[in-house]
DNA sequence: GATACTATTTAGAATAATCTAAAAAAAATA
DNA sequence: TATTTTTTTTAGATTATTCTAAATAGTATC
């Protein structure tokens, strides 16, 4: 696969550097990347050298890597494809939102600009994927909604779930069981000093308690 | 990609051995395979050795290769995916039938049984792809319609186009221009001794002449 | 600042796939 | 059958990716 110049593996690395680097702005460490990519630090070193030569990342030995403009462009194209496919799987093929990630991880590497523009059109130009993440347009622009973890919302405040920070099957199934999904409105009733768990009140007026771990991965917009 | 045990490259070879071997029943020569795969005979030799070890082809040095039952199963799964995706691209995403092959060549390697069964359902369990080729079901069974090239149809006989033997953009665009597509009914009016071209009469009663090359690649069912 | 610990990089090797050139086998021809 | 031509296989390299183990750089601790 030399069509667009980047292999599946390279695309996955570029995406990972983009994600980690964009989170805090700091250069991504070799170990962080190795962890994200489920590989060894040695492999990451090799790959960063290559990606640096191809000018998609900035990289200095022992100082970590950050995404370059060219790399950002590639990353956003892959992310756009990933999220559009997720929408397709959930909206059209009736996948559950916890079943789409692995398949999208494969589909995101299909090379065909026509396919993606047609898919986008077919889906009605969606702005968000099933996990609440924004879908970049052809130019890489996407909605920047300010969202915060439920864990930092003050007691008494109302908010709406707009995304999840963890798309693992385990977490999404947990949310399904709790009756929480994208769009769910809720109010923070209390925070338990003991273990950090949070009591929330849902739209149906049912009160439930979510773990601190869950509260960190539930992203909400406060009213 | 070790999930199902076979790489993209291996899947492509298996498909090629299946196709060439199933056409005439004879073992496929190294050169024929090299030609089909657009690679060298040396590479084919290497790969046949490997595929033979993996028991997906039968192979003896200097005697060519044929598909094994296990190989046939894999080939038909890949072909099923290829053709289902082609239907999706044409029926849902409004691709022209000459634009789908390359993309399907990529999509056929996506590993997800759920994706394919859902896609099949979504498309309404199609039996044929946009080029008239039958789509195998989950068990590898598919409709076996007897079809013959237009070139062998007798003068005066009526028939219906049911498939094309060549899915190249060049040929399909030629057919578009001629107003011929899958399902077109026609009658053979005359064969020109001079160059082998054939005069046919279409449904709209328009008469056209097709080249011998075209007549060989147009597969029809006689009434 | 010397020592200890951690993070990162290099060295060297493995697997997958491919290629060129040379050797060997099979087929065709004389 | 002997010779020539074609096909196929092997030998030896090359690129991409990954890994283990060893070396080195950077950070933390006393
Ligand atoms: Mn991926
Ligand atoms: Mn997502
Ligand atoms: Mn393919
Ligand atoms: Mn087809």
């Amino acid at each position: 696969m030399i069509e667009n110049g980047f292999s599946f593996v390279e695309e996955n690395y570029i995406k990972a550097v983009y994600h980690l680097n964009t989170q805090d702005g700091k250069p991504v460490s070799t170990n962080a990347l190795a962890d994200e990519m489920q590989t060894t630090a040695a492999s990451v070193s090799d790959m960063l050298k290559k990606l640096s030569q191809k000018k998609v990342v900035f990289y200095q030995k022992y100082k970590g890597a950050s995404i370059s403009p060219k790399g950002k462009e590639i990353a956003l194209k892959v992310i756009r494809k990933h999220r559009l496919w997720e929408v397709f799987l959930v909206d059209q093929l009736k996948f559950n939102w916890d079943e789409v990630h692995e398949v999208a991880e494969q589909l995101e590497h299909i090379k065909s600009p026509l396919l993606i523009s047609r898919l986008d059109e077919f889906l009605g130009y969606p702005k968000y994927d099933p996990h609440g993440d924004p879908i970049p347009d052809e130019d890489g622009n996407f909605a920047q909604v300010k969202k915060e973890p439920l864990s930092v919302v003050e007691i008494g405040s109302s908010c709406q779930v707009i995304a999840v920070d963890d798309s693992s099957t385990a977490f999404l199934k947990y949310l399904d069981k709790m009756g929480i999904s994208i769009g769910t409105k809720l109010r923070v009733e209390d925070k338990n000093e003991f273990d950090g768990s949070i009591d929330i009140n849902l739209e149906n007026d049912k009160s439930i308690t979510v773990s601190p771990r869950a509260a960190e991965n539930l992203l909400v917009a406060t009213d």
Side-chain angles (χ1 to χ4, degrees), chain A:
Chain A
M1 273 83 189
I2 318 174
E3 292 90 41
N4 102 339
F6 292 93
S7 70
F8 288 18
V9 172
E10 289 171 326
E11 286 188 346
N12 284 336
Y13 270 95
I14 293 168
K15 203 170 48 138
V17 172
Y18 171 79
H19 274 135
L20 296 174
N21 178 231
T22 304
Q23 274 174 352
D24 46 22
K26 286 187 271 289
V28 189
S29 76
T30 300
N31 266 354
L33 218 36
D35 189 63
E36 173 81 11
M37 300 295 295
Q38 309 238 80
T39 185
T40 63
S43 298
V44 172
S45 266
D46 288 344
M47 186 56 79
L48 285 180
K49 212 172 297 164
K50 182 162 49 143
L51 294 180
S52 173
Q53 285 194 310
K54 292 195 175 186
K55 310 233 183 278
V56 290
V57 306
F58 298 127
Y59 169 60
Q60 291 186 97
K61 286 203 282 194
Y62 296 103
K63 298 198 161 184
S66 52
I67 198 78
S68 79
K70 187 178 167 195
K72 182 177 175 183
E73 205 177 292
I74 293 163
L76 288 172
K77 281 209 173 84
V78 175
I79 290 167
R80 168 172 161 80
K81 289 190 277 184
H82 185 109
R83 293 179 182 167
L84 280 174
W85 280 116
E86 285 190 342
V87 172
F88 171 70
L89 295 173
V90 169
D91 286 7
Q92 307 293 327
L93 299 195
K94 309 301 173 204
F95 275 58
N96 198 288
W97 69 336
D98 68 286
E99 299 174 313
V100 300
H101 190 73
E102 279 181 54
V103 187
E105 205 57 46
Q106 297 178 60
L107 288 163
E108 71 187 2
H109 304 292
I110 302 290
K111 265 89 173 178
S112 169
L114 179 61
L115 172 59
I116 292 307
S117 66
R118 287 288 171 81
L119 183 64
D120 193 19
E121 179 185 3
F122 179 71
L123 298 173
Y125 305 105
K127 293 268 183 301
Y128 298 92
D129 84 0
H131 311 108
D133 293 311
I135 300 174
D137 67 19
E138 315 81 2
D139 302 316
N141 302 115
F142 56 90
Q144 290 275 29
V145 180
K146 57 175 176 303
K147 52 197 173 213
E148 50 188 8
L150 175 61
S151 52
V152 308
V153 175
E154 295 170 13
I155 294 173
S157 291
S158 288
C159 57
Q160 183 172 18
V161 176
I162 57 172
V164 290
D165 207 17
D166 169 7
S167 288
S168 70
T169 297
F171 182 50
L172 300 180
K173 280 200 179 309
Y174 167 89
L175 294 181
D176 283 343
K177 193 185 292 177
M178 293 303 216
I180 298 172
S181 60
I182 303 296
T184 297
K185 288 178 180 155
L186 57 88
R187 195 169 53 79
V188 174
E189 293 192 312
D190 201 8
K191 297 186 178 189
N192 302 98
E193 198 64 48
F194 165 58
D195 62 356
S197 63
I198 298 180
D199 302 333
I200 60 179
N201 192 278
L202 302 179
E203 292 170 284
N204 56 12
D205 219 49
K206 210 163 66 175
S207 282
I208 60 176
T209 301
V210 298
S211 71
R213 176 77 181 285
E216 272 166 34
N217 288 100
L218 265 175
L219 303 179
V220 302
T222 46
D223 304 324

